[in-house]
Each structure stands twice: as structure tokens, then as C-alpha cells.
Amino acid sequence: MAQSKTPSPIEFEPPYPGYVFSHQHLLGIADLSPHDITHLLDRAHEAVSVSRQVEKKKVTLRGRTQINLFFESSTRTQSSFELAGKRLGADVMNMSVGSSSVKKGETLIDTAMTLNAMQPDLLVVRHHSAGAAELLAQKVGCSVINAGDGAHEHPTQALLDALTIRRHLGSVERQTVAICGDILHSRVARSNIILLNALGARVRVIAPSTLLPSGIERLGVEVFNRMEDGLPGCDVVMMLRLQRERMEGALIPSVREYFHYFGLDAKKLKMANPNALVMHPGPMNRGVEISSEVADGAQSVIQVQVEMGVALRMAVIETLIETSDRLSQKRSHRSAV
Ligand code: ASP
């Protein structure tokens, strides 16, 4: 499998002269410049080696508090944020929404204000409503990371995907990337389309028309309704889960038929470029959007994505806390003069 390969060391561009990262929150890829994205990817690349050491713990965030507030279930993202915070030395608390006051009817804002009063340095939020993380960022006094808001954005997923592509293919620029499946309900697709375009990739989406948002072309993608048409010439094939929890009514005739036309199996993968990377953000539905043969095959980098997720989140957390410290120093300096 591709994940057992040791990625070759890649020389990255030196930091841009005079560039300073200036965001206190990470709410969406749409807020980031190409320089911001490259800066985070460069830092994440460094963090991969920390995660591969026997002793993985840094002390840069010792004494800092990170709260993970997940209103939707999550395996990879939540555990990855938890590990990332802990590897940086922060105290990490997972708010279990199922057993908290949210169940008793407390609003998102009340919950956030309660947590804010505990003086965290970072709030990582996942919520079923688009814009939830942004709303919280306006209310609380610490940095906020959007870990997925409805079908809107999932910025750390797109960043870890770009890191995976960059480490395997050398760069994101000029790669042809096909994002396939349930684009309509996917925040992963949206964040990836914005990021890949910002870094100069060619982006295609392949899906039945019932699973495509109207006007998707405006985001800068080529649209295909058949895998046979969209896969030839692709360097990366990114598969998405059918998000049935977000579907109202039947948008596909049957799972069997969906797999036949849109599921990635070995035969369809051969239509893409030789050695094209196979990606999936997880959780996977084997036999629905991807066959086991392909998911576990030589071209799959799905497990590498999980590894990159921890490094990327370490880089994001460290960068936001540093920025927030710098901005608050500036503010207190200004009020002292
Ligand atoms: N884990 C991703 C997300 O939270 C993709 C998915 O759920 O299918 O959006």
C-alpha cells in the first residue's frame, strides 16, 4: 500500500519575505490566502517528524487549555484534535455533548459562553449548522477552529488533504484532482475545491446531477456526470461518503446502482493516471463509494491522510495560539501608551 512508502523529503519554498500569519481563528479555507495555506502546510510538514518520534510531546502549549466541543459525532477529527493538542503539551478537554446541558436544551451560545468563562485558549467546534463556528468566534475570547459546520466548510480536512498530496506528488499546483460522489452535502468537497484552486490545481467534480449543488461551476471546477469521462488524466481521485444523514428523500435509485456507476473499483481506477492517489476523508462506506480492493490497495493514501491530520492540526493549533498571543500583546501595548 502507498502508505507504507516513506515519502521522500521535499524542499519547500522558503517563507515569503515579510509574511506574517494574522488569523486568530480558522473558520474556513475561504478566509485564507495562498500564503497562509502554504505557511500552515510548511509547519505541518515539520510536525510530521515530531509525531514520528518515540517521544512525541512538545511543551510549547504547556499550561494552555483546549476544549473540543463536538455537536456531531466524529472519530478521526475529534481524536486527531485531541492528540494534536496533547502532543503540543496543552490540557485538552472533550465536551461530551450527549451528556451535557445541550441535551437539556441549552443553546449553542450559552454552552459556549459557559465554556468561555473557564478561560480556554482554544475552542474546537463541530456543529450541524453552517456558520456555527463563526458565530462562536464572535462571542468567545479565545481562538476558534471550525471542525466542520453543516455542509459549509471543514478547513483542517482540506489542509491535511493538501499536505498528503504535496508529500506524495511534490506539489499541489497543476495536479488534476477529481472529487467524486456526494458533493451536495459535503463540507469536505467545498473546502477542498477552494483550497485546491487557491494552490493552482485543476479541480473536477464527478457526481450524479442529484448530488451536485446548483452553480458548482462558479467555484472553479469542471463538472462530469460519469466516472468514465472525469477520471482520465487525474492525478488524485478523492472519494466522498454518501451523507445519508443529510439527505431529504431518495437522491440515488439504489446503493447497488450507485456503486455500479460511481463507486471506485479497480476497473474505474485504471481510467485515471497510472499511480493516481486514492483519497477518502472517512468514514468510508466500503462497497458503496469505494471497493475494499481499492481502499486497501497500492494507490490508497487513506491511512496517510489520518497521520497527516494529527500533524496538520498541531500546526494549526500552534499557529493560532501564537497569533492570538501576538495580537493580544499588541492590544495591551496599545492600551498602555
Ligand atoms: N468526516 C468528514 C466530515 O466530517 C466526511 C464525512 O463525514 O463523510 O465531513
Side-chain angles (χ1 to χ4, degrees):
M1 290 200 289
Q3 58 263 39
S4 58
K5 276 191 230 150
T6 311
S8 51
I10 292 166
E11 290 290 309
F12 291 131
E13 296 268 297
Y16 308 99
Y19 166 80
V20 184
F21 188 90
S22 59
H23 303 274
Q24 191 186 347
H25 310 290
L26 177 62
L27 304 176
I29 298 295
D31 302 329
L32 302 180
S33 69
H35 286 191
D36 293 331
I37 295 169
T38 305
H39 176 73
L40 292 173
L41 297 182
D42 289 346
R43 284 191 78 152
H45 181 72
E46 301 295 317
V48 175
S49 47
V50 176
S51 283
R52 287 184 179 174
Q53 287 163 15
V54 178
E55 171 58 71
K56 296 176 173 57
K57 208 151 171 151
K58 291 176 79 178
V59 290
T60 36
L61 294 194
R62 192 161 53 195
R64 299 305 187 95
T65 307
Q66 170 186 333
I67 301 181
N68 294 338
L69 182 57
F70 278 60
F71 291 85
E72 273 186 349
S73 56
S74 165
T75 310
R76 267 155 295 272
T77 308
Q78 186 169 347
S79 49
S80 171
F81 268 115
E82 182 177 353
L83 261 188
K86 286 181 171 165
R87 285 187 183 167
L88 292 169
D91 295 315
V92 183
M93 187 185 98
N94 287 307
M95 258 304 277
S96 166
V97 170
S99 56
S100 72
S101 299
V102 174
K103 268 259 147 96
K104 300 178 188 162
E106 191 171 79
T107 65
L108 167 68
I109 299 297
D110 284 336
T111 307
M113 293 314 285
T114 304
L115 296 175
N116 191 46
M118 298 176 191
Q119 304 290 334
D121 299 279
L122 177 67
L123 217 47
V124 180
V125 189
R126 168 169 287 191
H127 197 273
H128 42 82
S129 302
E134 187 169 357
L135 185 66
L136 286 194
Q138 289 162 10
K139 302 278 176 194
V140 299
C142 63
S143 289
V144 174
I145 299 179
N146 179 7
D149 60 333
H152 180 226
E153 279 235 38
H154 191 354
T156 55
Q157 179 70 49
L159 286 161
L160 76 88
D161 290 342
L163 181 65
T164 307
I165 295 173
R166 206 169 79 160
R167 286 174 65 97
H168 280 85
L169 303 181
S171 82
V172 173
E173 202 181 344
R174 284 190 290 275
Q175 307 295 347
T176 301
V177 181
I179 307 177
C180 315
D182 186 357
I183 313 287
L184 180 64
H185 301 102
S186 178
R187 51 197 177 207
V188 174
R190 208 182 136 76
S191 292
N192 259 302
I193 291 170
I194 302 170
L195 186 152
L196 291 166
N197 271 311
L199 293 195
R202 301 183 189 99
V203 191
R204 300 177 179 179
V205 292
I206 314 177
S209 46
T210 48
L211 293 180
L212 282 168
S214 64
I216 182 85
E217 307 77 13
R218 286 200 294 273
L219 286 182
V221 295
E222 269 188 281
V223 179
F224 297 87
N225 296 124
R226 283 162 35 101
M227 297 289 266
E228 292 75 359
D229 298 333
L231 288 179
C234 284
D235 304 297
V236 178
V237 185
M238 193 181 285
M239 300 307 298
L240 298 175
R241 182 176 67 92
L242 273 184
Q243 303 211 1
R244 282 182 265 193
E245 75 277 18
R246 296 194 206 283
M247 286 185 192
E248 282 164 25
L251 297 178
I252 54 159
S254 73
V255 164
R256 223 181 119 101
E257 200 167 320
Y258 182 80
F259 182 71
H260 178 73
Y261 289 107
F262 292 97
L264 188 67
D265 56 13
K267 190 166 157 233
K268 292 199 197 80
L269 181 56
K270 282 211 179 80
M271 297 173 194
N273 285 346
N275 302 322
L277 302 181
V278 173
M279 304 180 74
H280 193 305
M284 275 187 281
N285 286 318
R286 291 169 184 257
V288 179
E289 68 267 358
I290 192 164
S291 72
S292 280
E293 191 190 359
V294 169
D296 304 329
Q299 288 168 249
S300 169
V301 292
I302 295 169
Q303 296 307 320
V304 182
Q305 288 174 270
V306 179
E307 184 191 1
M308 294 307 122
V310 179
L312 183 279
R313 289 172 178 123
M314 286 172 74
V316 167
I317 294 170
E318 217 172 21
T319 307
L320 293 183
I321 299 278
E322 269 175 27
T323 309
S324 163
D325 287 352
R326 204 180 57 240
L327 295 175
S328 60
Q329 258 169 24
K330 252 197 199 163
R331 277 193 292 269
S332 56
H333 176 73
R334 256 192 250 120
S335 57
V337 287

